[in-house]
Amino acid sequence: HTLYEESVRVPLIVRQGSRLPPGRRVGELVELVDLLPTVLDLADLPLPPGLHGESLVPLLEARPGATGRATVFSEYLENEEAMIRSGRYK
Protein backbone atom coordinates (compact mmCIF):
# COMPACT_ATOMS: atom_id res chain seq x y z
CA HIS A 1 0.00 0.00 0.00
CA THR A 2 2.99 2.30 -0.48
CA LEU A 3 5.45 3.31 -3.16
CA TYR A 4 8.56 2.73 -1.06
CA GLU A 5 11.42 1.03 -2.93
CA GLU A 6 10.84 -2.24 -1.05
CA SER A 7 7.29 -2.33 -2.42
CA VAL A 8 7.87 -1.38 -6.04
CA ARG A 9 11.09 -3.25 -6.80
CA VAL A 10 9.81 -6.74 -7.54
CA PRO A 11 12.35 -9.47 -8.38
CA LEU A 12 11.63 -11.54 -11.47
CA ILE A 13 13.15 -14.95 -12.20
CA VAL A 14 12.84 -16.28 -15.74
CA ARG A 15 14.05 -19.64 -17.04
CA GLN A 16 13.55 -21.25 -20.41
CA GLY A 17 15.86 -24.10 -21.28
CA SER A 18 18.84 -23.21 -23.44
CA ARG A 19 17.35 -20.05 -24.96
CA LEU A 20 18.27 -17.79 -22.04
CA PRO A 21 21.81 -17.64 -20.65
CA PRO A 22 21.96 -19.03 -17.09
CA GLY A 23 22.90 -16.70 -14.27
CA ARG A 24 22.13 -13.53 -16.23
CA ARG A 25 21.17 -10.56 -14.06
CA VAL A 26 19.42 -7.57 -15.58
CA GLY A 27 19.34 -4.27 -13.72
CA GLU A 28 17.29 -2.36 -16.28
CA LEU A 29 13.97 -0.73 -15.41
CA VAL A 30 10.93 -2.71 -16.60
CA GLU A 31 7.23 -2.75 -15.76
CA LEU A 32 4.76 -5.51 -14.93
CA VAL A 33 2.93 -4.77 -18.21
CA ASP A 34 6.04 -6.22 -19.89
CA LEU A 35 5.33 -9.73 -18.55
CA LEU A 36 2.59 -10.73 -21.00
CA PRO A 37 4.56 -9.73 -24.12
CA THR A 38 7.61 -11.51 -22.69
CA VAL A 39 5.76 -14.78 -22.01
CA LEU A 40 4.11 -14.70 -25.44
CA ASP A 41 7.47 -13.97 -27.08
CA LEU A 42 9.15 -16.86 -25.23
CA ALA A 43 6.30 -19.15 -26.33
CA ASP A 44 6.69 -17.94 -29.95
CA LEU A 45 3.09 -16.71 -29.95
CA PRO A 46 1.94 -13.51 -31.69
CA LEU A 47 1.44 -10.37 -29.63
CA PRO A 48 -2.11 -8.98 -29.63
CA PRO A 49 -2.42 -5.51 -31.18
CA GLY A 50 -2.51 -2.54 -28.83
CA LEU A 51 -0.43 -4.14 -26.06
CA HIS A 52 1.20 -1.57 -23.79
CA GLY A 53 4.08 -3.76 -22.63
CA GLU A 54 7.34 -4.62 -24.35
CA SER A 55 8.97 -8.03 -24.52
CA LEU A 56 11.92 -8.44 -22.18
CA VAL A 57 13.40 -11.22 -24.33
CA PRO A 58 16.06 -8.96 -25.91
CA LEU A 59 17.27 -8.04 -22.41
CA LEU A 60 17.09 -11.63 -21.19
CA GLU A 61 19.04 -12.90 -24.20
CA ALA A 62 21.63 -10.12 -23.76
CA ARG A 63 21.13 -8.89 -27.32
CA PRO A 64 23.46 -6.03 -28.26
CA GLY A 65 21.75 -2.67 -27.81
CA ALA A 66 18.87 -4.07 -25.74
CA THR A 67 17.76 -1.62 -23.08
CA GLY A 68 15.00 -1.34 -20.54
CA ARG A 69 12.75 1.66 -20.04
CA ALA A 70 14.10 5.13 -19.31
CA THR A 71 11.32 5.60 -16.74
CA VAL A 72 8.65 3.44 -15.13
CA PHE A 73 5.32 4.44 -13.63
CA SER A 74 3.47 2.99 -10.65
CA GLU A 75 0.26 4.03 -8.99
CA TYR A 76 -1.85 3.02 -6.03
CA LEU A 77 -5.30 4.44 -6.63
CA GLU A 78 -6.75 3.68 -3.21
CA ASN A 79 -4.38 6.22 -1.64
CA GLU A 80 -4.17 8.36 -4.78
CA GLU A 81 -0.41 7.85 -4.89
CA ALA A 82 1.70 7.71 -8.04
CA MET A 83 5.39 7.70 -8.89
CA ILE A 84 7.73 7.87 -11.83
CA ARG A 85 11.11 6.19 -11.43
CA SER A 86 14.23 6.63 -13.53
CA GLY A 87 17.63 5.10 -12.99
CA ARG A 88 18.59 7.96 -10.68
CA TYR A 89 15.39 9.61 -9.42
CA LYS A 90 12.01 8.69 -8.03
Side-chain angles (χ1 to χ4, degrees):
H1 301 274
T2 70
L3 295 176
Y4 293 125
E5 284 297 293
E6 296 82 7
S7 298
V8 296
R9 294 184 69 108
V10 180
L12 173 66
I13 299 172
V14 179
R15 180 174 181 221
Q16 190 196 30
S18 61
R19 183 171 176 182
L20 302 177
R24 172 135 169 80
R25 296 186 72 155
V26 177
E28 300 285 332
L29 294 174
V30 299
E31 293 184 329
L32 291 175
V33 296
D34 298 328
L35 289 181
L36 177 60
T38 301
V39 170
L40 293 174
D41 194 3
L42 288 171
D44 294 320
L45 295 172
L47 301 180
L51 222 57
H52 292 285
E54 303 170 4
S55 175
L56 302 176
V57 170
L59 283 172
L60 298 172
E61 290 180 341
R63 293 182 194 166
T67 61
R69 296 174 179 270
T71 59
V72 293
F73 174 78
S74 291
E75 63 184 334
Y76 182 61
L77 296 178
E78 192 170 307
N79 289 349
E80 297 181 1
E81 295 176 351
M83 70 152 215
I84 296 175
R85 175 92 162 81
S86 69
R88 185 173 177 188
Y89 297 107
K90 179 174 111 180

